[in-house]
Amino acid sequence: ILLSSNIHYMRGVLRALLASGLGLMCSVLLVELAARIVFANVIVYDVEMSKYATRVKRSSDNMNISHEHVPGSNTKLMGVEVDINSFGYRDEEYPVERIPGSVRVLMLGDSITFGWGVDEGNTFSSLLEQDLARQLIGKVEVINSGVGNYNTVQQVAAFKKHGSKLSPDCVVVNFFLNDAEPTPQRSRVAGLLEHFQSLVFMWSRYDFLMRSVGQRPDAITYYTDLYGASDGWKAARESLTELKGVTSSHGAKLLLVLIPDLHIRDGQYPFLGVHEAVTDFAISQGIPTIDLLPYFQGVDDMSMLWVSADDAHPNSEGHRLIADGIRDTLIDQCIVELNP
């Protein structure tokens, strides 16, 4: 009788646990369904980034690259269409074999170069190609190989694996503050959580709260420390030096472009020291460098160049300023000798 009573009790406990588990699972699924309905019509930066990670990216077999675009993928992010070509770039299809007499420029960079939040035709790579087509005689191709969340190490590794096959005449490194961060390695848990938009949103709000109350370093402190004796900055310098050697061995020109953070307030830019550190290093390696900060300092309200109120990626007007800032130096340093 006692045994029968215990079995009956355990069955009751298991049924209760099963019912609780099913109830919890249904609640989670309902919350996720509601989140997906909302975020299909409301743009939230972190949620859009999770869509980017799950719909357009895949892991790379090269640990220095970490992740790359899925060739031929397509989705809508930040309200604009994103199409990835067969080479894994957000650009039109380019044959490996070039048109005789043409000049080919390959852009390396992160989400800014990729053109986060702007139409493909309004990325500064595309704008430069349009400008150069009007100014120069002959075909000039400006290829956008930018991938979101790439640092300098990843950009150089990806160039060696993919970009060098295109035999560019000029390689442009579009450098941003976070390019000295360590190469991210996505865990399986993080990769799984990215598929739950509700969890991504809650985590982003938690992270914002922690920064607001000073539990995590502010951007100025974080980036200033990053360009001290950090391993990330050391790795970035080593990669730039390596890229200088690789491009030289292929007879290609190398140009470095410094893109400023668009959180300039009252004309004060808090990262002048970072720009000086990067510029000094590039000059020491014989790499021509453009600092685009002066092109942005005349803008009264920098937020007018943001993709959205919570996303300081440059919008189409910001990309226009970047293209204008690069164009003349690109012609002088990379193109004139090749296409006089």
Side-chain angles (χ1 to χ4, degrees):
I1 296 174
L2 180 61
L3 179 61
S4 175
S5 177
N6 286 338
I7 293 174
H8 181 73
Y9 173 76
M10 290 302 299
R11 286 176 176 173
V13 171
L14 289 174
R15 281 196 295 268
L17 290 174
L18 180 60
S20 298
L22 288 173
L24 178 61
M25 184 181 298
C26 290
S27 297
V28 170
L29 292 176
L30 285 173
V31 170
E32 178 63 19
L33 177 61
R36 288 178 178 267
I37 292 173
V38 171
F39 297 135
N41 300 285
V42 178
I43 294 176
V44 176
Y45 169 75
D46 291 292
V47 175
E48 293 298 300
M49 275 291 183
S50 73
K51 295 177 184 178
Y52 179 36
T54 56
R55 298 176 184 178
V56 181
K57 291 181 180 179
R58 68 183 182 188
S59 296
S60 171
D61 56 7
N62 185 321
M63 64 178 297
N64 287 324
I65 298 176
S66 179
H67 62 268
E68 58 193 6
H69 288 152
V70 178
S73 56
N74 163 270
T75 192
K76 179 174 284 189
L77 299 170
M78 299 296 291
V80 299
E81 291 293 329
V82 171
D83 294 293
I84 305 300
N85 67 18
S86 61
F87 221 75
Y89 298 157
R90 189 191 180 197
D91 210 324
E92 62 183 270
E93 291 289 348
Y94 289 96
V96 174
E97 296 298 326
R98 290 161 39 178
I99 299 173
S102 66
V103 176
R104 178 168 282 178
V105 178
L106 183 65
M107 291 286 181
L108 308 184
D110 57 12
S111 54
I112 296 177
T113 304
F114 169 83
W116 180 257
V118 302
D119 293 315
E120 183 182 315
N122 287 323
T123 65
F124 63 81
S125 297
S126 181
L127 295 173
L128 277 168
E129 186 172 89
Q130 296 166 35
D131 291 348
L132 295 174
R134 288 191 293 266
Q135 290 185 233
L136 301 172
I137 298 174
K139 177 71 171 177
V140 179
E141 299 171 331
V142 182
I143 302 175
N144 178 4
S145 73
V147 177
N149 304 113
Y150 266 17
N151 60 21
T152 303
V153 172
Q154 293 169 283
Q155 292 164 27
V156 174
F159 170 75
K160 290 165 58 182
K161 181 179 180 180
H162 300 296
S164 60
K165 298 175 184 177
L166 294 170
S167 302
D169 298 294
C170 182
V171 177
V172 181
V173 178
N174 297 286
F175 197 96
F176 188 67
L177 293 171
N178 59 4
D179 284 3
E181 289 181 328
T183 300
Q185 299 295 332
R186 292 172 63 200
S187 67
R188 290 185 177 181
V189 174
L192 177 63
L193 293 180
E194 285 174 342
H195 289 274
F196 290 87
Q197 295 178 16
S198 55
L199 294 179
V200 170
F201 177 75
M202 287 187 283
W203 172 255
S204 69
R205 297 306 93 187
Y206 171 76
D207 183 65
F208 175 78
L209 177 62
M210 290 297 99
R211 294 183 188 280
S212 299
V213 299
Q215 293 300 307
R216 295 186 181 176
D218 61 86
I220 297 175
T221 301
Y222 175 76
Y223 286 119
T224 300
D225 292 345
L226 189 63
Y227 285 85
S230 73
D231 291 339
W233 175 221
K234 178 183 177 182
R237 287 177 290 175
E238 291 174 349
S239 290
L240 287 172
T241 300
E242 180 184 15
L243 183 61
K244 178 64 162 51
V246 171
T247 52
S248 295
S249 67
H250 286 80
K253 303 282 187 178
L254 179 61
L255 179 65
L256 188 143
V257 176
L258 264 168
I259 300 176
D261 180 78
L262 298 187
H263 287 94
I264 305 172
R265 292 184 177 88
D266 302 322
Q268 300 299 312
Y269 188 65
F271 303 115
L272 290 175
V274 173
H275 282 230
E276 290 174 2
V278 176
T279 300
D280 289 347
F281 175 76
I283 291 174
S284 74
Q285 300 301 305
I287 303 173
T289 303
I290 312 169
D291 189 343
L292 295 182
L293 180 59
Y295 288 86
F296 288 85
Q297 285 182 311
V299 178
D300 293 331
D301 184 359
M302 200 61 58
S303 65
M304 297 301 294
L305 299 179
W306 295 5
V307 166
S308 66
D310 66 339
D311 185 352
H313 279 84
N315 58 20
S316 57
E317 293 180 37
H319 276 260
R320 178 74 267 174
L321 285 175
I322 294 172
D324 290 344
I326 295 175
R327 185 177 56 251
D328 290 344
T329 302
L330 181 64
I331 293 173
D332 292 341
Q333 295 288 339
C334 295
I335 297 178
V336 168
E337 296 180 16
L338 300 165
N339 188 20

